Amino acid sequence: MIDLLVEGFETALFPCSLVLLAPGVAAAVTARQESAAALTGYVTTVIVVGWLRFSGQIGDIGIPIVAMAFALAAALLVVPLIRRINLVSAAGGGVAGVAAAALWEPCVGAEFGGLLSDLTGRGVVGVFLMGVYLVGIMAPLAIVGAVLHLIPNPFLLPARPFMMVAGSAFFAVLAVATATGVINSVISKLVELSITV
Amino acid sequence: MNRGQFIAILVGLVGVIGVVVALNSGSNEPAQASTASEGAVAQTNDSSDVGDNPDSLADPNADSTADEKAPVEPTANAPENLGPAMDLVDLDGWLQTDATALSDFDGQVKILQFWTFSCHNCTATIPYLQDIYATYEPQGLEIIGVHAPEFDFERDPAAVQEAAERLGVTWPIALDTDKLNFRAWQDRRFWPRTFVIDANGDVRFNHIGEGKYDELEATVAYLIENGGS
């Protein structure tokens, strides 16, 4: 089991995890001091939707639904600009997680491959193990969330309203890019850039 | 959520990880047999009566260990027949071969792997495939790497060729640029995905991800020793 977690940690460093990590970071940045709520929602739905997809419980989630989910996340994550409600941030993160998990096509190591081969047969244990692996991949998000939560000093980070609007705009762009099919080029450029850097 | 609650959640997460570590140290659960049920290609693969430890095959890049590696024994029983393999259709060309279709390899035992060159897990399998290729290619094995790009910059055939040379991929490469075959062969899509196809065109091994190299080689060895089927 620990091997699965470690493999998840390692996979976080590779390009094929970007589609899971980038929206998570954006959700945390947008939610700022509600980042824990947003990330809890995000990680939870990534695990659940990931398990549903890879255990064969559901098929592919259509591009229109993914685009709408990103748009809904954009709307939900900007609501706390008016009134801070943890539940709204959690819902925004959760909806973003559904979209990210729908787009995720994983590169698979030996441990995760072993799990995927019998994901359905393991039942609830399979969900747990999927969670262990994904917690490993998304561990960098916990660091981002902790930094955002523990350093509320506006002199270290741009003002909260600006961050929320920028984060929300990121999800709106993701929604449009997904709907138009441009998202593949955007992700490709990001990956190419990350490899170059 | 206040700072105290946040810290409580962090402590809880650390606790969960601690439980995971403790459970792991208390059990030596064997790896599961591949029982993937996928598309029109495969139903089950119970040919797990061979070794399943990916680390047990020496790194073929290490000269001394590669020379000393004990040959993998063929499976004692015939690998399960998982049904006829699909064709490769609407490809964007081939590299490193004169072949123009999968049927050009009819009658041969084939390892067919869906891969893409920026995928770390895909490139990690290459040394093992090189080792198997060196051993069994003279006896009739062919490896076909079906390149299904994940990102746009992997779509350029010149980039694929450059990567193949850099990574030491010497076997034929089929260009599945729009991932039509990658999607058709798999209900659930992963990189890498490795199949063994016997001389009759039936799938005899189906594995997601890295690992199971001994089982892969044992399957190939069985098929080669038994005339391809």
Side-chain angles (χ1 to χ4, degrees), chain B residues 72-115:
Chain B
V72 171
E73 292 294 321
T75 56
N77 301 313
E80 186 179 354
N81 189 325
L82 304 172
M86 298 178 74
D87 197 3
L88 293 175
V89 296
D90 294 325
L91 292 169
D92 299 285
W94 292 76
L95 300 175
Q96 305 185 151
T97 178
D98 294 328
T100 57
L102 184 60
S103 58
D104 290 351
F105 302 98
D106 280 355
Q108 285 184 270
V109 176
K110 299 172 279 290
I111 294 175
L112 187 147
Q113 185 188 64
F114 288 94
W115 73 297

mmCIF file of all heavy atoms in Angstrom, chain B residues 72-115:
data_model
loop_
_atom_site.group_PDB
_atom_site.id
_atom_site.type_symbol
_atom_site.label_atom_id
_atom_site.label_comp_id
_atom_site.label_asym_id
_atom_site.label_seq_id
_atom_site.Cartn_x
_atom_site.Cartn_y
_atom_site.Cartn_z
ATOM 1 N N VAL B 72 14.165 -16.312 -18.444
ATOM 2 C CA VAL B 72 12.844 -16.547 -17.876
ATOM 3 C C VAL B 72 12.260 -17.811 -18.487
ATOM 4 O O VAL B 72 12.315 -17.999 -19.703
ATOM 5 C CB VAL B 72 11.928 -15.332 -18.155
ATOM 6 C CG1 VAL B 72 10.495 -15.630 -17.782
ATOM 7 C CG2 VAL B 72 12.451 -14.119 -17.389
ATOM 8 N N GLU B 73 11.727 -18.665 -17.628
ATOM 9 C CA GLU B 73 11.131 -19.900 -18.116
ATOM 10 C C GLU B 73 9.784 -19.596 -18.769
ATOM 11 O O GLU B 73 9.051 -18.722 -18.305
ATOM 12 C CB GLU B 73 10.917 -20.871 -16.951
ATOM 13 C CG GLU B 73 12.219 -21.392 -16.354
ATOM 14 C CD GLU B 73 12.983 -22.263 -17.331
ATOM 15 O OE1 GLU B 73 12.348 -23.048 -18.054
ATOM 16 O OE2 GLU B 73 14.224 -22.143 -17.400
ATOM 17 N N PRO B 74 9.457 -20.319 -19.823
ATOM 18 C CA PRO B 74 8.120 -20.146 -20.402
ATOM 19 C C PRO B 74 7.059 -20.539 -19.370
ATOM 20 O O PRO B 74 7.324 -21.302 -18.449
ATOM 21 C CB PRO B 74 8.105 -21.131 -21.574
ATOM 22 C CG PRO B 74 9.531 -21.459 -21.839
ATOM 23 C CD PRO B 74 10.251 -21.308 -20.539
ATOM 24 N N THR B 75 5.850 -20.008 -19.524
ATOM 25 C CA THR B 75 4.767 -20.400 -18.632
ATOM 26 C C THR B 75 4.545 -21.906 -18.769
ATOM 27 O O THR B 75 4.682 -22.472 -19.857
ATOM 28 C CB THR B 75 3.455 -19.687 -18.996
ATOM 29 O OG1 THR B 75 3.161 -19.975 -20.354
ATOM 30 C CG2 THR B 75 3.563 -18.202 -18.828
ATOM 31 N N ALA B 76 4.205 -22.541 -17.632
ATOM 32 C CA ALA B 76 3.988 -23.994 -17.654
ATOM 33 C C ALA B 76 2.742 -24.330 -18.468
ATOM 34 O O ALA B 76 2.700 -25.327 -19.189
ATOM 35 C CB ALA B 76 3.859 -24.511 -16.229
ATOM 36 N N ASN B 77 1.729 -23.482 -18.312
ATOM 37 C CA ASN B 77 0.483 -23.716 -19.041
ATOM 38 C C ASN B 77 0.341 -22.656 -20.131
ATOM 39 O O ASN B 77 0.896 -21.565 -20.027
ATOM 40 C CB ASN B 77 -0.709 -23.624 -18.088
ATOM 41 C CG ASN B 77 -0.594 -24.628 -16.964
ATOM 42 O OD1 ASN B 77 -0.309 -25.800 -17.184
ATOM 43 N ND2 ASN B 77 -0.780 -24.156 -15.739
ATOM 44 N N ALA B 78 -0.429 -23.006 -21.118
ATOM 45 C CA ALA B 78 -0.633 -22.043 -22.207
ATOM 46 C C ALA B 78 -1.290 -20.785 -21.666
ATOM 47 O O ALA B 78 -2.258 -20.859 -20.909
ATOM 48 C CB ALA B 78 -1.518 -22.676 -23.277
ATOM 49 N N PRO B 79 -0.765 -19.614 -22.022
ATOM 50 C CA PRO B 79 -1.422 -18.373 -21.610
ATOM 51 C C PRO B 79 -2.848 -18.338 -22.147
ATOM 52 O O PRO B 79 -3.093 -18.758 -23.273
ATOM 53 C CB PRO B 79 -0.563 -17.278 -22.255
ATOM 54 C CG PRO B 79 0.702 -17.936 -22.670
ATOM 55 C CD PRO B 79 0.405 -19.379 -22.881
ATOM 56 N N GLU B 80 -3.749 -17.848 -21.312
ATOM 57 C CA GLU B 80 -5.157 -17.846 -21.705
ATOM 58 C C GLU B 80 -5.371 -17.082 -23.004
ATOM 59 O O GLU B 80 -4.759 -16.034 -23.223
ATOM 60 C CB GLU B 80 -6.018 -17.207 -20.612
ATOM 61 C CG GLU B 80 -7.500 -17.308 -20.900
ATOM 62 C CD GLU B 80 -8.335 -16.685 -19.798
ATOM 63 O OE1 GLU B 80 -7.752 -16.286 -18.769
ATOM 64 O OE2 GLU B 80 -9.551 -16.593 -19.980
ATOM 65 N N ASN B 81 -6.235 -17.641 -23.838
ATOM 66 C CA ASN B 81 -6.575 -16.957 -25.086
ATOM 67 C C ASN B 81 -7.665 -15.932 -24.792
ATOM 68 O O ASN B 81 -8.771 -16.275 -24.374
ATOM 69 C CB ASN B 81 -7.058 -17.970 -26.123
ATOM 70 C CG ASN B 81 -7.204 -17.349 -27.500
ATOM 71 O OD1 ASN B 81 -7.576 -16.186 -27.631
ATOM 72 N ND2 ASN B 81 -6.894 -18.129 -28.527
ATOM 73 N N LEU B 82 -7.332 -14.665 -24.972
ATOM 74 C CA LEU B 82 -8.246 -13.575 -24.608
ATOM 75 C C LEU B 82 -9.076 -13.091 -25.789
ATOM 76 O O LEU B 82 -9.749 -12.067 -25.694
ATOM 77 C CB LEU B 82 -7.448 -12.408 -24.013
ATOM 78 C CG LEU B 82 -6.574 -12.786 -22.813
ATOM 79 C CD1 LEU B 82 -5.667 -11.629 -22.417
ATOM 80 C CD2 LEU B 82 -7.435 -13.204 -21.638
ATOM 81 N N GLY B 83 -9.019 -13.827 -26.873
ATOM 82 C CA GLY B 83 -9.824 -13.460 -28.039
ATOM 83 C C GLY B 83 -9.002 -12.791 -29.112
ATOM 84 O O GLY B 83 -7.852 -12.415 -28.898
ATOM 85 N N PRO B 84 -9.601 -12.680 -30.279
ATOM 86 C CA PRO B 84 -8.856 -12.111 -31.409
ATOM 87 C C PRO B 84 -8.504 -10.643 -31.192
ATOM 88 O O PRO B 84 -9.317 -9.885 -30.652
ATOM 89 C CB PRO B 84 -9.819 -12.270 -32.599
ATOM 90 C CG PRO B 84 -11.161 -12.469 -31.998
ATOM 91 C CD PRO B 84 -10.967 -13.076 -30.643
ATOM 92 N N ALA B 85 -7.315 -10.277 -31.615
ATOM 93 C CA ALA B 85 -6.892 -8.876 -31.506
ATOM 94 C C ALA B 85 -7.595 -8.051 -32.567
ATOM 95 O O ALA B 85 -7.926 -8.540 -33.645
ATOM 96 C CB ALA B 85 -5.384 -8.782 -31.704
ATOM 97 N N MET B 86 -7.827 -6.804 -32.219
ATOM 98 C CA MET B 86 -8.378 -5.892 -33.212
ATOM 99 C C MET B 86 -7.294 -5.537 -34.227
ATOM 100 O O MET B 86 -6.120 -5.821 -34.013
ATOM 101 C CB MET B 86 -8.862 -4.614 -32.521
ATOM 102 C CG MET B 86 -9.964 -4.843 -31.518
ATOM 103 S SD MET B 86 -10.456 -3.319 -30.705
ATOM 104 C CE MET B 86 -11.364 -2.523 -32.025
ATOM 105 N N ASP B 87 -7.703 -4.907 -35.301
ATOM 106 C CA ASP B 87 -6.743 -4.434 -36.298
ATOM 107 C C ASP B 87 -6.276 -3.023 -35.893
ATOM 108 O O ASP B 87 -6.890 -2.378 -35.042
ATOM 109 C CB ASP B 87 -7.408 -4.400 -37.672
ATOM 110 C CG ASP B 87 -6.385 -4.330 -38.798
ATOM 111 O OD1 ASP B 87 -5.169 -4.365 -38.503
ATOM 112 O OD2 ASP B 87 -6.805 -4.248 -39.960
ATOM 113 N N LEU B 88 -5.212 -2.590 -36.495
ATOM 114 C CA LEU B 88 -4.807 -1.183 -36.372
ATOM 115 C C LEU B 88 -5.308 -0.465 -37.623
ATOM 116 O O LEU B 88 -4.931 -0.826 -38.740
ATOM 117 C CB LEU B 88 -3.285 -1.061 -36.275
ATOM 118 C CG LEU B 88 -2.631 -1.614 -35.011
ATOM 119 C CD1 LEU B 88 -1.099 -1.533 -35.128
ATOM 120 C CD2 LEU B 88 -3.103 -0.873 -33.763
ATOM 121 N N VAL B 89 -6.159 0.521 -37.425
ATOM 122 C CA VAL B 89 -6.785 1.171 -38.580
ATOM 123 C C VAL B 89 -6.481 2.668 -38.580
ATOM 124 O O VAL B 89 -6.188 3.261 -37.534
ATOM 125 C CB VAL B 89 -8.312 0.951 -38.576
ATOM 126 C CG1 VAL B 89 -8.637 -0.532 -38.722
ATOM 127 C CG2 VAL B 89 -8.947 1.502 -37.310
ATOM 128 N N ASP B 90 -6.597 3.257 -39.753
ATOM 129 C CA ASP B 90 -6.440 4.713 -39.911
ATOM 130 C C ASP B 90 -5.165 5.244 -39.257
ATOM 131 O O ASP B 90 -5.183 6.294 -38.603
ATOM 132 C CB ASP B 90 -7.664 5.445 -39.339
ATOM 133 C CG ASP B 90 -8.920 5.143 -40.132
ATOM 134 O OD1 ASP B 90 -8.803 4.987 -41.356
ATOM 135 O OD2 ASP B 90 -9.999 5.048 -39.525
ATOM 136 N N LEU B 91 -4.098 4.501 -39.441
ATOM 137 C CA LEU B 91 -2.812 4.958 -38.905
ATOM 138 C C LEU B 91 -2.268 6.114 -39.737
ATOM 139 O O LEU B 91 -2.664 6.291 -40.903
ATOM 140 C CB LEU B 91 -1.801 3.802 -38.905
ATOM 141 C CG LEU B 91 -2.100 2.658 -37.937
ATOM 142 C CD1 LEU B 91 -1.181 1.470 -38.245
ATOM 143 C CD2 LEU B 91 -1.932 3.089 -36.487
ATOM 144 N N ASP B 92 -1.366 6.852 -39.170
ATOM 145 C CA ASP B 92 -0.758 7.972 -39.889
ATOM 146 C C ASP B 92 0.619 7.606 -40.427
ATOM 147 O O ASP B 92 1.419 8.494 -40.737
ATOM 148 C CB ASP B 92 -0.663 9.183 -38.959
ATOM 149 C CG ASP B 92 -2.032 9.612 -38.504
ATOM 150 O OD1 ASP B 92 -2.754 10.219 -39.307
ATOM 151 O OD2 ASP B 92 -2.410 9.294 -37.367
ATOM 152 N N GLY B 93 0.874 6.316 -40.507
ATOM 153 C CA GLY B 93 2.130 5.857 -41.075
ATOM 154 C C GLY B 93 2.897 4.966 -40.108
ATOM 155 O O GLY B 93 2.442 4.690 -38.993
ATOM 156 N N TRP B 94 4.016 4.495 -40.586
ATOM 157 C CA TRP B 94 4.885 3.624 -39.803
ATOM 158 C C TRP B 94 6.298 4.185 -39.832
ATOM 159 O O TRP B 94 6.713 4.815 -40.812
ATOM 160 C CB TRP B 94 4.900 2.210 -40.385
ATOM 161 C CG TRP B 94 3.608 1.452 -40.253
ATOM 162 C CD1 TRP B 94 2.473 1.623 -41.003
ATOM 163 C CD2 TRP B 94 3.336 0.393 -39.336
ATOM 164 N NE1 TRP B 94 1.499 0.732 -40.592
ATOM 165 C CE2 TRP B 94 1.996 -0.036 -39.579
ATOM 166 C CE3 TRP B 94 4.064 -0.236 -38.330
ATOM 167 C CZ2 TRP B 94 1.406 -1.064 -38.851
ATOM 168 C CZ3 TRP B 94 3.471 -1.272 -37.613
ATOM 169 C CH2 TRP B 94 2.149 -1.676 -37.865
ATOM 170 N N LEU B 95 7.045 3.914 -38.787
ATOM 171 C CA LEU B 95 8.464 4.272 -38.741
ATOM 172 C C LEU B 95 9.271 2.996 -38.505
ATOM 173 O O LEU B 95 8.792 2.054 -37.859
ATOM 174 C CB LEU B 95 8.738 5.256 -37.600
ATOM 175 C CG LEU B 95 8.004 6.601 -37.628
ATOM 176 C CD1 LEU B 95 8.298 7.396 -36.344
ATOM 177 C CD2 LEU B 95 8.388 7.410 -38.850
ATOM 178 N N GLN B 96 10.456 2.968 -39.015
ATOM 179 C CA GLN B 96 11.433 1.899 -38.762
ATOM 180 C C GLN B 96 10.985 0.536 -39.275
ATOM 181 O O GLN B 96 11.342 -0.497 -38.710
ATOM 182 C CB GLN B 96 11.764 1.832 -37.255
ATOM 183 C CG GLN B 96 12.233 3.178 -36.711
ATOM 184 C CD GLN B 96 12.696 3.150 -35.272
ATOM 185 O OE1 GLN B 96 13.529 3.941 -34.894
ATOM 186 N NE2 GLN B 96 12.169 2.264 -34.464
ATOM 187 N N THR B 97 10.189 0.552 -40.343
ATOM 188 C CA THR B 97 9.741 -0.690 -40.970
ATOM 189 C C THR B 97 9.200 -0.388 -42.354
ATOM 190 O O THR B 97 8.808 0.751 -42.637
ATOM 191 C CB THR B 97 8.629 -1.372 -40.134
ATOM 192 O OG1 THR B 97 8.191 -2.553 -40.817
ATOM 193 C CG2 THR B 97 7.432 -0.450 -39.955
ATOM 194 N N ASP B 98 9.162 -1.408 -43.186
ATOM 195 C CA ASP B 98 8.518 -1.267 -44.495
ATOM 196 C C ASP B 98 7.052 -1.673 -44.423
ATOM 197 O O ASP B 98 6.325 -1.574 -45.412
ATOM 198 C CB ASP B 98 9.232 -2.153 -45.534
ATOM 199 C CG ASP B 98 10.665 -1.658 -45.793
ATOM 200 O OD1 ASP B 98 10.883 -0.428 -45.696
ATOM 201 O OD2 ASP B 98 11.537 -2.506 -46.053
ATOM 202 N N ALA B 99 6.643 -2.159 -43.268
ATOM 203 C CA ALA B 99 5.253 -2.610 -43.117
ATOM 204 C C ALA B 99 4.291 -1.433 -43.281
ATOM 205 O O ALA B 99 4.630 -0.280 -42.993
ATOM 206 C CB ALA B 99 5.063 -3.247 -41.751
ATOM 207 N N THR B 100 3.104 -1.749 -43.728
ATOM 208 C CA THR B 100 2.076 -0.713 -43.872
ATOM 209 C C THR B 100 0.796 -1.081 -43.131
ATOM 210 O O THR B 100 -0.153 -0.297 -43.115
ATOM 211 C CB THR B 100 1.727 -0.500 -45.362
ATOM 212 O OG1 THR B 100 1.310 -1.753 -45.911
ATOM 213 C CG2 THR B 100 2.924 0.043 -46.127
ATOM 214 N N ALA B 101 0.778 -2.267 -42.533
ATOM 215 C CA ALA B 101 -0.425 -2.708 -41.813
ATOM 216 C C ALA B 101 -0.019 -3.769 -40.790
ATOM 217 O O ALA B 101 1.013 -4.427 -40.941
ATOM 218 C CB ALA B 101 -1.453 -3.286 -42.779
ATOM 219 N N LEU B 102 -0.869 -3.943 -39.798
ATOM 220 C CA LEU B 102 -0.602 -4.970 -38.788
ATOM 221 C C LEU B 102 -0.565 -6.355 -39.428
ATOM 222 O O LEU B 102 0.179 -7.240 -39.000
ATOM 223 C CB LEU B 102 -1.683 -4.904 -37.696
ATOM 224 C CG LEU B 102 -1.529 -5.840 -36.509
ATOM 225 C CD1 LEU B 102 -0.211 -5.578 -35.767
ATOM 226 C CD2 LEU B 102 -2.710 -5.702 -35.537
ATOM 227 N N SER B 103 -1.368 -6.523 -40.491
ATOM 228 C CA SER B 103 -1.432 -7.835 -41.150
ATOM 229 C C SER B 103 -0.091 -8.227 -41.776
ATOM 230 O O SER B 103 0.132 -9.404 -42.059
ATOM 231 C CB SER B 103 -2.533 -7.834 -42.218
ATOM 232 O OG SER B 103 -2.285 -6.807 -43.162
ATOM 233 N N ASP B 104 0.787 -7.254 -41.985
ATOM 234 C CA ASP B 104 2.112 -7.581 -42.525
ATOM 235 C C ASP B 104 2.919 -8.436 -41.552
ATOM 236 O O ASP B 104 3.936 -9.016 -41.931
ATOM 237 C CB ASP B 104 2.900 -6.291 -42.837
ATOM 238 C CG ASP B 104 2.314 -5.552 -44.036
ATOM 239 O OD1 ASP B 104 1.432 -6.125 -44.708
ATOM 240 O OD2 ASP B 104 2.721 -4.406 -44.279
ATOM 241 N N PHE B 105 2.468 -8.480 -40.305
ATOM 242 C CA PHE B 105 3.172 -9.281 -39.293
ATOM 243 C C PHE B 105 2.411 -10.574 -38.970
ATOM 244 O O PHE B 105 2.691 -11.220 -37.970
ATOM 245 C CB PHE B 105 3.377 -8.461 -38.016
ATOM 246 C CG PHE B 105 4.149 -7.188 -38.234
ATOM 247 C CD1 PHE B 105 3.492 -5.977 -38.377
ATOM 248 C CD2 PHE B 105 5.527 -7.213 -38.332
ATOM 249 C CE1 PHE B 105 4.195 -4.802 -38.593
ATOM 250 C CE2 PHE B 105 6.241 -6.043 -38.551
ATOM 251 C CZ PHE B 105 5.582 -4.836 -38.680
ATOM 252 N N ASP B 106 1.430 -10.907 -39.796
ATOM 253 C CA ASP B 106 0.661 -12.134 -39.574
ATOM 254 C C ASP B 106 1.604 -13.337 -39.497
ATOM 255 O O ASP B 106 2.581 -13.426 -40.237
ATOM 256 C CB ASP B 106 -0.346 -12.350 -40.721
ATOM 257 C CG ASP B 106 -1.591 -11.497 -40.554
ATOM 258 O OD1 ASP B 106 -1.708 -10.818 -39.512
ATOM 259 O OD2 ASP B 106 -2.439 -11.506 -41.466
ATOM 260 N N GLY B 107 1.274 -14.235 -38.588
ATOM 261 C CA GLY B 107 2.084 -15.438 -38.436
ATOM 262 C C GLY B 107 3.224 -15.276 -37.454
ATOM 263 O O GLY B 107 3.916 -16.247 -37.129
ATOM 264 N N GLN B 108 3.428 -14.051 -36.975
ATOM 265 C CA GLN B 108 4.494 -13.820 -35.996
ATOM 266 C C GLN B 108 3.893 -13.607 -34.611
ATOM 267 O O GLN B 108 2.762 -13.116 -34.468
ATOM 268 C CB GLN B 108 5.286 -12.550 -36.365
ATOM 269 C CG GLN B 108 6.239 -12.715 -37.532
ATOM 270 C CD GLN B 108 7.029 -11.434 -37.752
ATOM 271 O OE1 GLN B 108 6.603 -10.565 -38.498
ATOM 272 N NE2 GLN B 108 8.177 -11.330 -37.095
ATOM 273 N N VAL B 109 4.678 -13.942 -33.593
ATOM 274 C CA VAL B 109 4.326 -13.548 -32.228
ATOM 275 C C VAL B 109 4.688 -12.075 -32.080
ATOM 276 O O VAL B 109 5.782 -11.667 -32.479
ATOM 277 C CB VAL B 109 5.095 -14.399 -31.194
ATOM 278 C CG1 VAL B 109 4.800 -13.903 -29.773
ATOM 279 C CG2 VAL B 109 4.745 -15.865 -31.344
ATOM 280 N N LYS B 110 3.758 -11.304 -31.518
ATOM 281 C CA LYS B 110 3.972 -9.856 -31.460
ATOM 282 C C LYS B 110 3.714 -9.317 -30.058
ATOM 283 O O LYS B 110 2.750 -9.721 -29.400
ATOM 284 C CB LYS B 110 3.008 -9.139 -32.421
ATOM 285 C CG LYS B 110 3.174 -9.522 -33.871
ATOM 286 C CD LYS B 110 2.086 -8.943 -34.736
ATOM 287 C CE LYS B 110 0.808 -9.761 -34.690
ATOM 288 N NZ LYS B 110 0.882 -11.058 -35.348
ATOM 289 N N ILE B 111 4.563 -8.418 -29.618
ATOM 290 C CA ILE B 111 4.231 -7.567 -28.475
ATOM 291 C C ILE B 111 3.752 -6.253 -29.065
ATOM 292 O O ILE B 111 4.457 -5.640 -29.877
ATOM 293 C CB ILE B 111 5.456 -7.304 -27.572
ATOM 294 C CG1 ILE B 111 5.931 -8.600 -26.910
ATOM 295 C CG2 ILE B 111 5.119 -6.266 -26.500
ATOM 296 C CD1 ILE B 111 7.216 -8.436 -26.107
ATOM 297 N N LEU B 112 2.559 -5.842 -28.707
ATOM 298 C CA LEU B 112 2.024 -4.573 -29.200
ATOM 299 C C LEU B 112 1.814 -3.664 -27.996
ATOM 300 O O LEU B 112 1.080 -4.026 -27.064
ATOM 301 C CB LEU B 112 0.724 -4.806 -29.961
ATOM 302 C CG LEU B 112 0.134 -3.592 -30.688
ATOM 303 C CD1 LEU B 112 -0.581 -4.029 -31.967
ATOM 304 C CD2 LEU B 112 -0.850 -2.834 -29.798
ATOM 305 N N GLN B 113 2.513 -2.543 -28.000
ATOM 306 C CA GLN B 113 2.406 -1.639 -26.846
ATOM 307 C C GLN B 113 1.965 -0.242 -27.279
ATOM 308 O O GLN B 113 2.557 0.349 -28.181
ATOM 309 C CB GLN B 113 3.746 -1.529 -26.113
ATOM 310 C CG GLN B 113 3.641 -0.690 -24.835
ATOM 311 C CD GLN B 113 4.989 -0.399 -24.197
ATOM 312 O OE1 GLN B 113 5.833 0.274 -24.771
ATOM 313 N NE2 GLN B 113 5.187 -0.921 -22.999
ATOM 314 N N PHE B 114 0.938 0.263 -26.629
ATOM 315 C CA PHE B 114 0.553 1.658 -26.807
ATOM 316 C C PHE B 114 1.440 2.501 -25.887
ATOM 317 O O PHE B 114 1.501 2.248 -24.684
ATOM 318 C CB PHE B 114 -0.926 1.858 -26.462
ATOM 319 C CG PHE B 114 -1.851 1.266 -27.489
ATOM 320 C CD1 PHE B 114 -2.361 -0.015 -27.333
ATOM 321 C CD2 PHE B 114 -2.186 1.977 -28.630
ATOM 322 C CE1 PHE B 114 -3.196 -0.572 -28.292
ATOM 323 C CE2 PHE B 114 -3.020 1.427 -29.600
ATOM 324 C CZ PHE B 114 -3.527 0.149 -29.426
ATOM 325 N N TRP B 115 2.099 3.486 -26.467
ATOM 326 C CA TRP B 115 3.050 4.298 -25.702
ATOM 327 C C TRP B 115 3.098 5.704 -26.269
ATOM 328 O O TRP B 115 2.538 5.980 -27.339
ATOM 329 C CB TRP B 115 4.450 3.673 -25.760
ATOM 330 C CG TRP B 115 5.131 3.822 -27.096
ATOM 331 C CD1 TRP B 115 4.717 3.303 -28.301
ATOM 332 C CD2 TRP B 115 6.324 4.558 -27.379
ATOM 333 N NE1 TRP B 115 5.595 3.661 -29.293
ATOM 334 C CE2 TRP B 115 6.578 4.440 -28.776
ATOM 335 C CE3 TRP B 115 7.205 5.289 -26.601
ATOM 336 C CZ2 TRP B 115 7.690 5.029 -29.395
ATOM 337 C CZ3 TRP B 115 8.309 5.883 -27.225
ATOM 338 C CH2 TRP B 115 8.549 5.754 -28.610
#
